[in-house]
Amino acid sequence: MRILVAEDDAKLADMLARSLREAGYAVDVAGDGERALTQAAVNPYDAVVLDVGLPRRDGLEVSRALRA
């Protein structure tokens, strides 16, 4: 299972990614909404963990764009 973690707090993103990897998941991290959308356009993700307060495009905008 491949997961995208979209989180602008580097320490939190690292902790989430590390924990998910230890649980056996493939994890990519994006630090802002634009990067999250770019990565989602290139890679098929089974799940996305979105921070609502992302810079450049907030998590709600990213979610709407991914669903469209």
Side-chain angles (χ1 to χ4, degrees):
M1 180 177 248
R2 189 174 187 134
I3 299 174
L4 174 62
V5 174
E7 172 59 60
D8 60 325
D9 181 322
K11 286 184 180 182
L12 180 56
D14 182 55
M15 182 195 66
L16 285 169
R18 192 172 345 121
S19 296
L20 289 166
R21 287 182 184 121
E22 287 174 5
Y25 298 102
V27 180
D28 295 325
V29 177
D32 64 61
E34 286 295 325
R35 181 72 179 153
L37 287 174
T38 300
Q39 286 184 254
V42 174
N43 301 302
Y45 291 103
D46 298 297
V48 179
V49 178
L50 282 172
D51 175 9
V52 175
L54 289 170
R56 298 185 66 196
R57 280 186 130 179
D58 69 34
L60 296 175
E61 288 180 61
V62 172
S63 178
R64 285 186 202 106
L66 290 174
R67 292 186 63 166

